[in-house]
């Protein structure tokens, strides 16, 4: 790790982003760069999404981030073997010198996002440098930790945001005017470009600027918790003191905040509605999904609201009984937390009304795409619970108070594509 030039005081002031030798696909050894990329592991809708990505190219990154085997341990061993083989064959090769990477995404319709990818010094939430805003599920952290241990790599960057609009943004925009290392367009229509920053002066400008900022975890709470766990398992200094991240300055490039929806296995819509009768107002909406989501947005302006689906139509539930909320929602958190839709969903509906264990994959799935959630509910006879997104300023304000939201409360984006640059801890 190139940490020269940093005093202990500088390291502890804020974000410490360090260059690393990125592990990247050789474009001459794969069908196309687009065909080997994937959405982040938790966005891929399994198993359909995995099969689709695997068939796109035999070297698709999904074979590393979501290995398919008979048991979890066999899967992690398979991923480690695959990574070593791809490196030995030159499918993946380390860049010749350590770098920070500028990463750009745009959709051709006005949405442009740029940020810096690097190895970030891992810090505890109590340090106030990297702020989590969601709770995590222990089994997912254990799964990601096993995968990182086996591969000895950070396979995909977390998405962190900060508000700077300063020197780093100026460096990013200057670098984006140069020829990129790679450029590709993925099947979702997003255009991706990547540049390296190796000039010591530019690296120093970025590092100095970021050392005055704190970041919010936008996407990747489980991987950040995994970084913390793996760092604790190793004596410092070690490569595990750092983790792969993408830092986006939302003062310059605002992110979109979307909801993450729930699929309740084994709970038919009719039964879900029967149980909320008298506790929420229930309205049937015989309209297409976009119109139903607009009705949800309108209702969410006045209070907690959710869309239930799975029986061929939509049901808007809102206006929960205040007495129900008073007896089911903990009163030891700020009012902004108690009024979150995710709080009401988990504390009131899942725990009290429907009695669904929120950390059991056999009972509940978390899906980013609304249409996919509805389709799976209709196919499986379960209930889709569609959410309305929370505003970024609410997320950031709670995080600064040290208050975490219920798990899978938000989906910030666009998310970085997995497979454009990896961090192997032994190069």
């Amino acid at each position: 790790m190139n940490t020269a030039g940093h005093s202990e005081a500088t390291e502890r002031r804020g974000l410490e982003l360090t260059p690393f030798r990125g592990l990247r696909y050789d474009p001459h050894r794969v069908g196309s760069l687009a065909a080997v990329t994937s959405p982040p592991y938790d966005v891929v809708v399994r198993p359909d999404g995995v099969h689709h990505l695997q068939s796109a190219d035999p070297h698709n990154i999904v074979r590393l981030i979501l290995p398919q085997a008979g048991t979890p341990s066999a899967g992690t061993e398979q991923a480690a073997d695959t990574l070593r083989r791809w490196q030995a064959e030159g499918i993946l090769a380390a860049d010749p010198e350590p770098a920070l990477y500028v990463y750009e995404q745009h959709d051709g319709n006005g949405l442009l996002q740029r940020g810096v990818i690097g190895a970030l010094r891992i810090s505890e939430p109590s340090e106030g440098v990297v702020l989590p805003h969601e709770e995590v599920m222990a089994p997912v952290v254990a799964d990601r930790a096993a995968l990182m241990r086996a591969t000895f790599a950070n396979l995909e960057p977390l998405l962190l945001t900060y508000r700077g609009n300063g020197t780093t943004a100026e460096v990013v925009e200057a670098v984006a005017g140069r020829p990129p290392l790679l450029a590709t367009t993925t099947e979702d229509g997003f255009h991706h470009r990547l540049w390296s920053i190796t000039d010591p002066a530019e690296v120093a400008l970025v590092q100095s600027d970021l050392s005055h900022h704190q970041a919010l975890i936008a996407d990747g709470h489980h991987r950040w918790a995994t970084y913390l766990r793996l760092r604790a398992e190793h004596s410092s200094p070690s490569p595990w003191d750092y983790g792969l991240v993408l830092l986006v300055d939302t003062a310059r490039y605002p992110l979109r905040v979307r909801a993450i929806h729930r699929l309740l296995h084994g709970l038919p819509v009719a039964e879900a509605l029967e149980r909320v009768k008298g506790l929420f107002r229930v309205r049937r909406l015989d309209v297409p999904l976009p119109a139903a989501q607009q009705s949800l947005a309108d209702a969410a302006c006045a209070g907690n609201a959710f869309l239930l689906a799975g029986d061929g139509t939509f049901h808007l539930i809102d206006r929960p009984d205040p007495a129900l909320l008073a007896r089911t929602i903990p009163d030891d958190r700020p009012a902004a937390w108690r009024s979150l839709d995710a709080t009401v969903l988990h504390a009131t509906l899942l725990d009290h009304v429907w009695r669904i264990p929120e950390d059991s994959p056999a009972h509940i799935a978390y899906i980013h795409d609304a249409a996919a959630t509805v389709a799976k509910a209709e196919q499986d006879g379960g209930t889709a619970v569609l959410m309305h997104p929370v505003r970024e300023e609410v997320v950031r304000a709670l995080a600064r108070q040290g208050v975490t939201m219920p798990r899978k409360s938000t989906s910030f984006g666009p998310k970085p594509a997995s497979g454009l640059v990896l961090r192997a801890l032994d190069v």
Side-chain angles (χ1 to χ4, degrees):
M1 284 291 172
N2 175 19
T3 57
H6 283 263
S7 67
E8 182 70 7
T10 299
E11 289 179 0
R12 298 303 172 186
R13 216 168 41 227
L15 300 165
E16 182 196 331
L17 196 66
T18 305
F20 69 104
R21 291 178 62 198
L23 192 63
R24 297 190 295 112
Y25 282 99
D26 181 342
H28 303 293
R29 303 295 301 275
V30 297
S32 73
L33 289 174
V36 295
T37 64
S38 165
Y41 80 97
D42 59 337
V43 179
V44 178
V45 180
R46 291 186 276 184
D48 298 347
V50 172
H51 295 158
H52 172 70
L53 292 165
Q54 285 181 335
S55 64
D57 190 284
H59 302 108
N60 189 284
I61 190 69
V62 78
R63 297 179 185 272
L64 300 181
I65 62 175
L66 285 173
Q68 302 297 294
T71 65
S73 60
T76 57
E77 291 173 11
Q78 176 180 293
D81 290 342
T82 300
L83 178 57
R84 284 192 292 266
R85 186 175 72 255
W86 288 356
Q87 289 179 270
E89 295 173 353
I91 304 298
L92 288 166
D95 284 335
E97 58 183 319
L100 299 177
Y101 296 85
V102 170
Y103 174 47
E104 175 190 276
Q105 297 163 274
H106 71 91
D107 66 355
N109 295 310
L111 190 152
L112 173 67
Q113 178 174 293
R114 291 178 180 146
V116 182
I117 295 175
L120 184 69
R121 184 184 68 83
I122 296 162
S123 57
E124 296 288 343
S126 59
E127 296 179 52
V129 177
V130 175
L131 305 176
H133 71 267
E134 286 185 357
E135 298 169 0
V136 298
M137 294 175 276
V140 178
V141 176
D143 172 74
R144 292 295 101 183
L147 183 63
M148 288 188 206
R149 284 192 206 98
T151 57
F152 205 65
N154 300 149
L155 300 172
E156 45 186 349
L158 283 66
L159 175 59
L160 307 186
T161 72
Y162 71 102
R163 299 191 65 79
N165 207 19
T167 306
T168 298
E170 294 169 1
V171 172
V172 164
E173 293 183 5
V175 170
R178 305 169 188 168
L181 287 176
L182 64 85
T184 191
T185 301
T186 45
E187 65 179 5
D188 58 4
F190 269 86
H191 307 281
H192 307 261
R193 295 198 293 172
L194 190 77
W195 297 260
S196 62
I197 307 176
T198 56
D199 179 80
E202 289 183 325
V203 170
L205 284 172
V206 171
Q207 290 178 319
S208 176
D209 181 42
L210 291 177
S211 71
H212 300 283
H213 293 288
Q214 64 178 188
L216 176 74
I217 301 175
D219 186 68
H221 281 83
H222 289 90
R223 283 167 285 166
W224 184 258
T226 301
Y227 289 170
L228 287 166
R229 174 181 292 192
L230 294 173
R231 184 190 66 166
E233 293 175 0
H234 297 82
S235 298
S236 187
S238 84
W240 298 105
D241 292 340
Y242 296 80
L244 185 63
V245 305
L246 166 64
L247 277 164
V248 173
D249 180 354
T250 53
R252 189 71 63 98
Y253 299 105
L255 270 67
R256 297 179 305 192
V257 186
R258 292 179 171 173
I260 300 177
H261 311 291
R262 276 64 170 165
L263 173 61
L264 309 182
H265 304 298
L267 180 66
V269 176
E271 184 177 345
L273 291 169
E274 182 63 28
R275 294 191 193 180
V276 300
K277 189 181 297 183
L279 302 175
F280 284 73
R281 182 176 67 168
V282 180
R283 287 179 285 168
R284 180 185 174 109
L285 305 176
D286 292 312
V287 297
L289 175 58
Q293 288 182 296
Q294 183 56 56
S295 296
L296 174 62
D298 294 340
C301 292
N304 303 116
F306 310 91
L307 271 181
L308 306 188
D311 60 353
T313 189
F314 297 97
H315 307 270
L316 178 64
I317 66 170
D318 64 352
R319 298 188 184 180
D321 176 12
L324 172 69
L325 300 183
R327 69 174 182 268
T328 56
I329 294 179
D331 60 4
D332 59 347
R333 309 281 182 91
W337 179 89
R338 297 197 303 272
S339 62
L340 289 170
D341 286 340
T343 298
V344 172
L345 173 64
H346 284 259
T348 302
L349 284 169
L350 292 180
D351 291 353
H352 181 79
V353 177
W354 293 327
R355 302 200 178 278
I356 300 288
E358 62 186 65
D359 57 354
S360 169
H363 292 88
I364 185 170
Y366 299 85
I367 304 176
H368 291 73
D369 183 79
T373 312
V374 173
K376 283 191 168 292
E378 292 178 349
Q379 177 183 339
D380 301 341
T383 295
V385 183
L386 304 187
M387 310 280 288
H388 183 67
V390 64
R391 300 190 314 278
E392 180 183 357
E393 56 266 30
V394 174
V395 176
R396 194 175 294 274
L398 287 171
R400 284 178 172 154
Q401 296 177 62
V403 178
T404 54
M405 300 165 64
R407 61 198 62 179
K408 300 292 184 182
S409 292
T410 61
S411 175
F412 284 82
K415 303 178 190 302
S418 299
L420 296 180
V421 61
L422 293 66
R423 175 179 173 249
L425 275 65
D426 54 358
V427 300

